[in-house]
Amino acid sequence: MMALISAAKASDFSEPWKSADRALVIDAYEYNSIDWAQLATDKRIAAFINKASDGMPPPYFCFGSDTDVKLCKALWKRHAVTRELFQTRRVVAKALGLKWGAYHLARPGNPVEQANNFLDFADPAPDDLMALDIEGIDPSQWMSLDDAEEFVRQVHRRIGRFPVLYTNGKTAQYIADNRYKYRLLSRLPLWYARYKPDIDVHFPMGNWQGYALWQFSAQANCGRFRCPYRVAGTPNNIDVNVVPADAATLRQQWPFGGLIDVPSDYLASVPVPLSREAALAGKTTLIYADVATPPTFEEMVAVLGSRWSKFRDGFRMPVVKTVPRRPGFGIVQYVAWKRTGQRSPEQLDAAFAVADPVSTASTEIDRGQP
């Protein structure tokens, strides 16, 4: 697929929300109150993304102790109320001319069932944006990246489109550094969460050339007295995102349903063969079929690396001490490690500890709720 988003300008990496021509997008969840009449007065707001599903669906049958049954029924009640609010907001937002989107908060568990839960909950229209929210790389707290790849595949199997990837700087950099392993996640349009005035060296430019959305304002950096941007009719700490384009361009690119960074000159097609009889009869129309893109250097390295790993393991060669000792660390990971300046996981953690929180806005608020 062709690239969906052009590379962002330098100015789009430093407080782009201060440019009046940059479109803004609100994202909210069920505990955010919205005054739609007031929100509509801000003409820079071009789209609204709402939280849809959260992990696995609640169990269909409630059984067990009295406490278990009460908890089960409470989960179902919350699920029903949340879905009704989601559908109401979608109707109102579209009536106001806003583009609509939905995101899934990824939790540990069956990724296929989570994808089905998301699609059944959000029921996305062809022009509705979909997003997968990955809050971190700890598989005990959040969906593992391997499962996230399967989530993305299941979404594509069912509706033929891909979601946007929402994540913070640390996780985005980890995916970029391991893009040979995460072929889908590393090619999804990026919804980037960073609550500082600029992105500069923190943005994983080696993989993504720009962001689709930048969540720049949230509870992490917006309070009662100070906030990068306030939207009328919303709480002080509502999540606000900026787009490296004006509202008209955003509407054209929405809902970012494809993969990015595939050069247009790599797209190729070949004519479908005709039978001799049909060709001699004349009045035939040539039909062209798309063919796979030629392999990149990185892809060839990955294939050779896989074969080399099997050969190397047969001799049980010791790992050089300067190479990180990790399970499954082969030639592919070594190449990626070398290209990222030999940064260890500890160095990456230190680099992002101050700049980007691991947990983003909606989950921090959610933890305070019953």
Side-chain angles (χ1 to χ4, degrees):
M1 298 183 180
M2 298 180 65
L4 298 178
I5 309 167
S6 58
K9 299 177 181 178
S11 59
D12 289 314
F13 289 87
S14 179
E15 298 183 305
W17 52 88
K18 291 186 176 181
S19 298
D21 64 336
R22 290 295 181 252
L24 300 178
V25 178
I26 295 295
D27 73 274
Y29 81 134
E30 58 267 27
Y31 290 109
N32 295 136
S33 60
I34 306 295
D35 185 330
W36 292 96
Q38 288 294 319
L39 185 148
T41 62
D42 191 333
K43 301 306 180 183
R44 291 182 62 185
I45 306 299
F48 194 100
I49 304 174
N50 203 87
K51 180 184 175 184
S53 47
D54 187 329
M56 305 279 271
Y60 190 77
F61 295 104
C62 296
F63 56 88
S65 65
D66 291 342
T67 301
D68 292 336
V69 171
K70 289 181 180 179
L71 177 59
C72 176
K73 290 182 177 180
L75 291 174
W76 260 111
K77 181 178 180 180
R78 176 178 176 178
H79 177 80
V81 171
T82 301
R83 187 167 185 177
E84 182 177 355
L85 177 62
F86 176 91
Q87 295 171 343
T88 301
R89 284 180 173 179
R90 173 164 53 188
V91 172
V92 175
K94 290 189 174 184
L96 292 174
L98 301 176
K99 286 294 183 179
W100 178 259
Y103 71 89
H104 173 82
L105 182 57
R107 305 281 190 179
N110 188 325
V112 172
E113 189 173 353
Q114 288 198 52
N116 291 334
N117 180 34
F118 170 60
L119 295 175
D120 294 342
F121 188 110
D123 189 21
D127 62 340
D128 289 349
L129 178 143
M130 302 176 296
L132 175 61
D133 181 350
I134 300 292
E135 296 285 337
I137 59 177
D138 181 356
S140 67
Q141 297 187 49
W142 313 109
M143 179 184 286
S144 71
L145 298 184
D146 289 330
D147 281 353
E149 289 260 309
E150 189 57 38
F151 179 101
V152 172
R153 290 190 191 95
Q154 178 64 9
V155 170
H156 188 263
R157 288 187 197 107
R158 284 193 51 178
I159 64 174
R161 292 193 287 126
F162 293 97
V164 170
L165 173 64
Y166 170 92
T167 196
N168 54 40
K170 178 181 176 181
T171 306
Q173 187 64 61
Y174 184 86
I175 293 172
D177 289 346
N178 295 275
R179 56 188 177 274
Y180 311 106
K181 180 178 181 181
Y182 304 116
R183 301 294 186 87
L184 284 177
L185 295 180
S186 62
R187 292 174 61 197
L188 296 178
L190 182 60
W191 180 1
Y192 193 69
R194 175 172 165 80
Y195 312 118
K196 299 291 183 179
D198 54 65
I199 288 179
D200 52 66
V201 297
H202 298 281
F203 191 79
M205 287 293 291
N207 186 76
W208 286 280
Q209 298 307 308
Y211 54 86
L213 299 160
W214 172 4
Q215 187 181 83
F216 67 91
S217 182
Q219 184 184 30
N221 66 339
C222 191
R224 180 180 176 183
F225 301 106
R226 187 175 182 181
C227 191
Y229 192 93
R230 296 198 188 278
V231 179
T234 66
N236 288 338
N237 57 4
I238 193 75
D239 296 350
V240 188
N241 309 267
V242 66
V243 180
D246 56 25
T249 303
L250 173 65
R251 293 188 180 96
Q252 292 174 358
Q253 295 181 340
W254 200 270
F256 308 109
L259 300 178
I260 64 170
D261 294 337
V262 180
S264 58
D265 57 356
Y266 268 29
L267 299 177
S269 60
V270 296
V272 176
L274 295 173
S275 66
R276 178 178 175 82
E277 292 76 11
L280 291 175
K283 295 183 179 180
T284 59
T285 302
L286 289 179
I287 301 176
Y288 290 83
D290 292 336
V291 296
T293 59
T296 64
F297 174 76
E298 290 81 4
E299 290 170 337
M300 289 188 289
V301 169
V303 173
L304 293 174
S306 176
R307 296 178 180 177
W308 166 250
S309 296
K310 293 180 181 179
F311 176 80
R312 181 203 60 190
D313 291 343
F315 289 91
R316 297 186 178 276
M317 295 177 64
V319 179
V320 179
K321 291 184 178 180
T322 56
V323 178
R325 294 178 179 270
R326 294 187 195 172
F329 192 93
I331 190 66
V332 180
Q333 292 77 16
Y334 175 77
V335 172
W337 176 73
K338 290 287 288 184
R339 291 189 174 186
T340 55
Q342 302 182 5
R343 285 177 290 177
S344 67
E346 291 75 16
Q347 290 172 319
L348 285 175
D349 288 343
F352 286 101
V354 178
D356 294 282
V358 174
S359 296
T360 49
S362 62
T363 56
E364 289 297 324
I365 300 175
D366 192 47
R367 288 174 182 171
Q369 301 296 332

